[in-house]
Amino acid sequence: TMAASPALLFGDRNLLPRKQSARLDKQNDLGWKLFGKVPLRENAQKDSKKTQKEYEDKVGRPSKPPSPKQNVRKNLDFEPLSTTALILEDRPANLPAKPAEEAQKHRQQYEEMVVQAKKRELKEAQRRKKQLEERCRVEESIGNAVLTWNNEILPNWETMWCSRKVRDLWWQGIPPSVRGKVWSLAIGNELNITHELFDICLARAKERWRSLSTGGSELENEDAGFSAADREASLELIKLDISRTFPNLCIFQQGGPYHDMLHSILGAYTCYRPDVGYVQGMSFIAAVLILNLDTADAFIAFSNLLNKPCQMAFFRVDHGLMLTYFAAFEVFFEENLPKLFAHFKKNNLTPDIYLIDWIFTLYSKSLPLDLACRIWDVFCRDGEEFLFRTALGILKLFEDILTKMDFIHMAQFLTRLPEDLPAEELFASIATIQMQSRNKKWAQVLTALQKDSREMEKGSPALRH
Amino acid sequence: MAETYDFLFKFLVIGSAGTGKSCLLHQFIENKFKQDSNHTIGVEFGSRVVNVGGKTVKLQIWDTAGQERFRSVTRSYYRGAAGALLVYDITSRETYNSLAAWLTDARTLASPNIVVILCGNKKDLDPEREVTFLEASRFAQENELMFLETSALTGENVEEAFLKCARTILNKIDSGELDPERMGSGIQYGDASLRQLRQPRSAQAVAPQPCGC
């Protein structure tokens, strides 16, 4: 009936050909089938016929035998009111009238469309409701998590942080509002850096920037061994790299709200650790910390994070030690993913090719930022081992497509991971990675390899990198 | 992945930080300027099949990190490279001054025969120029390098730089100066040329073409 009512608006005159068609259908079922598509369901056909019947009843006129004149309209003397009108309207006067079968078929198709649209609308409404419920559920669980972190875990950090319950909550991701606090506590402050020390380092860095920009001579000699040119190059590079750190966020670049903070932390660090200085990759780490902590606390976390053995090895670019880390990684790679490992070996794809970027930036450059933060969450809890476990999780997640690729495609894929990498799937994949090889844990494997490489160095100094 | 090509060349893009190495590669592969560019940590990759002098060549390009400190790492990527783009920034004398060190690395670690093209990038920033064309072309001559000034922003000479390097390598193969079958040549035969190799030698001998440098 829905389909019929708009057509009633047009008056009797236009209805005649349709009535004729209805009549013809009833009289000649074969004709209908010849010209129209055989309907998919018996119901559809019945419904449309019923509609047609109701339609005739409403108009209240019995159908007359067809008169050839009435089949051709003289003029299109009205404006169709809607697309519905267009669909149910007959052909313009300059064209032959729709055959009855075709008109009937069109009406039926229209009805089917309406039914489908209604179905879709209902489905969409259900989907939206479900989505809303899901969002409420997530928000509620985040809200609950925030309460748990704030009221239960943080006040009792020392006793609680390694409990089963906290570990589980931790794995699910730390709520952004407590993330900075948890990271700070988990990273710790072995170096005993105070806010005052940060201020001193920053003041020194600023003095240096001033003296360099005015072209003055060096104020201090205590960093002898690092030429003015080197230091200048490093300061210039910091400036350059800040503009190239999360450029799409537009918050760290010149004029952006976090530009000065990032500049301060990197500058202060080169004064705090002139022996390490600024190394590319640091700006990404500092930036992620700034997004979660105040400047001084970010500096404290930054310095302590870089002081961890794995980070120190990489940021000092101690190639020999880096190779040991890669070798340890390969032990667990072969253990967990033997087929992919063999495929990589066959194609000469060495782990440094993808691991350097991942480890130096702690995945902040290669994974979506919110996902990277979740990796950081567990890295703060589990230490360096988790960085390599994550790498294996990524490889496992994409194992099927990687095994079909050649060297260059794998290298391109791994140095530019898909932007829509699904967080839950990745964490599920990481969870399946066993960080145990022949009853040896990560730290044991690494120590054994380090011992080996030290002995090799002693044995033949020429082999040193 | 059923690509057919006659040769595969390993290329490096080397030079100081911020000279536009990744942007040159991006312009060559995607034909557009990379606006929001991160700095490269370690190495990134690009590949493209090009047509040079009637031969199809797949370029496998290794785009390396520019910071001095990373050199001990990036050096390990030089092995077996057939060609290199040695990049400096025409608006930064410092990046020009370090060219000699980069070149030494390339020749000692890749191969003495590595074909290097010097690229003075950021040609579009001519008002801020610190290195003249003449000076750089003299350096190129003294060190037997090809030379182009390029702009990753406008795309000027970017394609030319890669193609010129590839063409020179092909000419050296044709003249016998380079032997693709030598270990670490940075050159591999593709399927297409393996088919050709089964034909008698005379059939595939091609006269070296003038490279037009």
Side-chain angles (χ1 to χ4, degrees):
Chain A
T1 53
M2 264 199 70
S5 49
L8 291 174
L9 296 169
F10 308 141
D12 289 348
R13 193 172 42 83
N14 294 317
L15 292 169
L16 256 168
R18 267 178 221 143
K19 274 181 283 182
Q20 288 157 12
S21 75
R23 223 350 74 124
L24 283 172
D25 278 350
K26 278 176 190 162
Q27 290 160 352
N28 185 3
D29 238 340
L30 183 68
W32 198 95
K33 273 177 191 158
L34 271 177
F35 289 97
K37 263 188 206 162
V38 179
L40 288 173
R41 287 161 300 157
E42 178 100 5
N43 274 0
Q45 195 179 358
K46 241 188 247 159
D47 281 354
S48 78
K49 279 191 179 161
K50 206 171 97 197
T51 310
Q52 195 59 44
K53 185 79 180 25
E54 280 171 15
Y55 185 70
E56 279 177 27
D57 290 345
K58 272 187 191 165
V59 174
R61 269 208 273 167
S63 42
K64 286 177 194 156
S67 132
K69 256 189 190 170
Q70 279 169 319
N71 273 344
V72 184
R73 270 195 296 135
K74 297 254 159 51
N75 265 313
L76 197 77
D77 54 0
F78 66 93
E79 290 282 343
L81 296 178
S82 65
T83 48
T84 312
L86 271 176
I87 290 161
L88 292 178
E89 184 41 40
D90 288 311
R91 286 188 181 158
N94 54 344
L95 294 173
K98 263 186 207 177
E101 293 81 7
E102 199 184 329
Q104 167 75 5
K105 189 183 84 182
H106 286 172
R107 260 192 308 281
Q108 190 184 351
Q109 283 174 339
Y110 174 74
E111 279 159 33
E112 279 167 10
M113 275 161 69
V114 170
V115 169
Q116 288 302 320
K118 274 194 132 180
K119 253 193 212 158
R120 265 201 308 275
E121 232 168 79
L122 193 71
K123 228 175 166 179
E124 175 67 9
Q126 279 170 341
R127 195 187 60 82
R128 245 180 273 153
K129 195 176 157 218
K130 219 171 150 189
Q131 208 175 31
L132 193 71
E133 282 169 358
E134 173 69 15
R135 214 172 61 205
C136 288
R137 206 185 52 74
V138 168
E139 268 167 27
E140 198 184 302
S141 85
I142 289 177
N144 288 339
V146 171
L147 285 179
T148 313
W149 281 101
N150 273 327
N151 300 341
E152 293 175 39
I153 304 168
L154 291 176
N156 308 298
W157 181 255
E158 290 305 322
T159 53
M160 277 195 81
W161 79 272
C162 52
S163 70
R164 181 83 229 168
K165 182 192 166 192
V166 175
R167 286 181 66 86
D168 289 346
L169 203 57
W170 206 321
W171 180 270
Q172 288 154 29
I174 303 171
S177 62
V178 288
R179 186 167 258 155
K181 228 175 286 169
V182 176
W183 285 1
S184 280
L185 284 166
I187 293 167
N189 188 3
E190 254 187 352
L191 298 167
N192 286 318
I193 298 172
T194 58
H195 285 205
E196 288 70 39
L197 182 60
F198 169 64
D199 290 337
I200 293 166
C201 291
L202 181 58
R204 254 200 221 188
K206 284 184 171 165
E207 226 164 85
R208 207 165 275 168
W209 294 331
R210 249 197 314 278
S211 82
L212 281 170
S213 65
T214 55
S217 60
E218 282 304 306
L219 296 165
E220 298 153 54
N221 304 316
E222 61 185 282
D223 303 331
F226 299 94
S227 73
D230 267 0
R231 237 175 301 165
E232 182 173 13
S234 163
L235 291 176
E236 280 296 310
L237 190 60
I238 289 176
K239 247 184 15 199
L240 177 69
D241 282 354
I242 285 176
S243 71
R244 305 190 291 173
T245 304
F246 298 122
N248 46 337
L249 295 184
C250 301
I251 50 175
F252 297 107
Q253 286 61 50
Q254 190 86 47
Y258 293 126
H259 171 268
D260 291 350
M261 281 169 84
L262 185 51
H263 201 203
S264 297
I265 288 177
L266 296 174
Y269 188 76
T270 60
C271 291
Y272 175 66
R273 286 300 293 266
D275 57 324
V276 180
Y278 169 73
V279 183
Q280 288 189 320
M282 284 183 181
S283 65
F284 286 94
I285 295 182
V288 173
L289 289 169
I290 285 168
L291 291 173
N292 291 282
L293 287 161
D294 292 335
T295 315
D297 289 328
F299 177 75
I300 294 170
F302 181 75
S303 307
N304 281 285
L305 193 58
L306 295 196
N307 203 46
K308 294 185 180 293
C310 173
Q311 274 58 48
M312 233 343 129
F314 277 73
F315 280 104
R316 280 176 176 278
V317 199
D318 181 338
H319 203 200
L321 205 45
M322 284 165 72
L323 290 173
T324 314
Y325 273 98
F326 299 146
F329 168 78
E330 286 197 296
V331 169
F332 292 91
F333 186 178
E334 187 170 17
E335 189 85 29
N336 281 278
L337 306 162
K339 258 168 67 186
L340 191 63
F341 180 77
H343 181 65
F344 276 32
K345 278 274 175 219
K346 199 183 85 198
N347 285 281
N348 284 321
L349 186 78
T350 50
D352 52 303
I353 283 172
Y354 47 95
L355 280 185
I356 284 181
D357 178 271
W358 295 353
I359 303 297
F360 265 94
T361 65
L362 305 176
Y363 296 95
S364 58
K365 184 170 161 272
S366 36
L367 292 181
L369 196 51
D370 48 346
L371 182 49
C373 283
R374 283 196 57 188
I375 302 292
W376 280 47
D377 288 346
V378 189
F379 162 61
C380 288
R381 187 190 81 179
D382 294 0
E384 64 186 36
E385 173 183 326
F386 189 71
L387 297 177
F388 297 94
R389 196 176 171 204
T390 300
L392 292 173
I394 294 172
L395 296 181
K396 185 170 185 179
L397 185 60
F398 296 113
E399 182 172 18
D400 290 346
I401 49 174
L402 285 167
T403 38
K404 292 188 188 88
M405 292 179 176
D406 61 359
F407 170 85
I408 188 69
H409 289 97
M410 286 193 285
Q412 279 178 287
F413 183 88
L414 293 172
T415 53
R416 215 174 310 131
L417 292 171
E419 279 167 29
D420 54 354
L421 207 141
E424 293 315 319
E425 280 175 43
L426 176 58
F427 270 84
S429 173
I430 295 171
T432 65
I433 299 294
Q434 292 302 316
M435 290 306 268
Q436 210 163 87
S437 168
R438 293 188 196 91
N439 281 329
K440 277 185 171 174
K441 293 186 169 146
W442 168 263
Q444 292 169 303
V445 170
L446 187 70
T447 313
L449 285 165
Q450 277 172 347
K451 216 176 117 212
D452 288 354
S453 80
R454 265 197 301 274
E455 266 159 24
M456 247 179 56
E457 277 175 25
K458 253 188 257 160
S460 53
L463 279 178
R464 278 191 73 145
H465 291 278
Chain B
M1 246 158 276
E3 291 168 315
T4 49
Y5 45 82
D6 297 306
F7 294 104
L8 184 146
F9 295 165
K10 175 175 171 177
F11 268 29
L12 300 170
V13 187
I14 52 174
S16 297
T19 51
K21 295 179 292 298
S22 299
C23 289
L24 281 172
L25 176 60
H26 195 260
Q27 177 66 256
F28 178 62
I29 305 285
E30 305 283 336
N31 262 313
K32 58 184 175 226
F33 180 61
K34 198 177 186 184
Q35 267 307 342
D36 290 340
S37 191
N38 283 319
H39 46 284
T40 306
I41 313 287
V43 61
E44 287 173 12
F45 296 86
S47 68
R48 192 180 136 184
V49 177
V50 292
N51 218 308
V52 189
K55 290 260 184 350
T56 47
V57 179
K58 178 164 179 165
L59 300 181
Q60 182 194 87
I61 306 155
W62 296 51
D63 168 30
T64 61
Q67 191 182 14
E68 284 281 321
R69 196 72 80 83
F70 274 99
R71 237 145 107 180
S72 60
V73 170
T74 50
R75 273 176 172 160
S76 57
Y77 301 138
Y78 284 43
R79 205 161 53 98
L85 269 72
L86 173 57
V87 188
Y88 70 97
D89 170 359
I90 65 155
T91 72
S92 158
R93 175 149 297 274
E94 209 188 309
T95 64
Y96 177 79
N97 288 344
S98 54
L99 286 176
W102 288 109
L103 187 59
T104 310
D105 271 5
R107 290 208 164 129
T108 52
L109 297 164
S111 145
N113 297 320
I114 187 170
V115 174
V116 181
I117 182 159
L118 180 65
C119 297
N121 195 30
K122 309 197 188 178
K123 187 176 193 288
D124 49 287
L125 294 178
D126 198 61
E128 294 161 52
R129 180 188 282 278
E130 285 183 6
V131 183
T132 66
F133 183 88
L134 187 68
E135 186 179 5
S137 69
R138 206 172 290 145
F139 176 86
Q141 270 178 20
E142 283 164 8
N143 292 281
E144 296 176 329
L145 310 171
M146 294 176 287
F147 173 53
L148 276 176
E149 282 194 343
T150 57
S151 167
L153 180 73
T154 66
E156 188 181 349
N157 279 342
V158 174
E159 181 121 349
E160 287 79 346
F162 284 93
L163 294 185
K164 210 168 179 174
C165 200
R167 198 178 301 129
T168 309
I169 295 168
L170 272 180
N171 288 342
K172 287 193 174 186
I173 294 172
D174 286 340
S175 69
E177 209 176 320
L178 275 178
D179 176 11
E181 280 164 77
R182 187 182 54 80
M183 274 286 283
S185 67
I187 303 161
Q188 288 170 31
Y189 290 111
D191 289 344
S193 74
L194 282 178
R195 258 179 273 118
Q196 275 187 352
L197 280 177
R198 287 189 205 106
Q199 293 165 4
R201 275 221 159 253
S202 58
Q204 46 139 347
V206 181
Q209 293 165 331
C211 80
C213 317

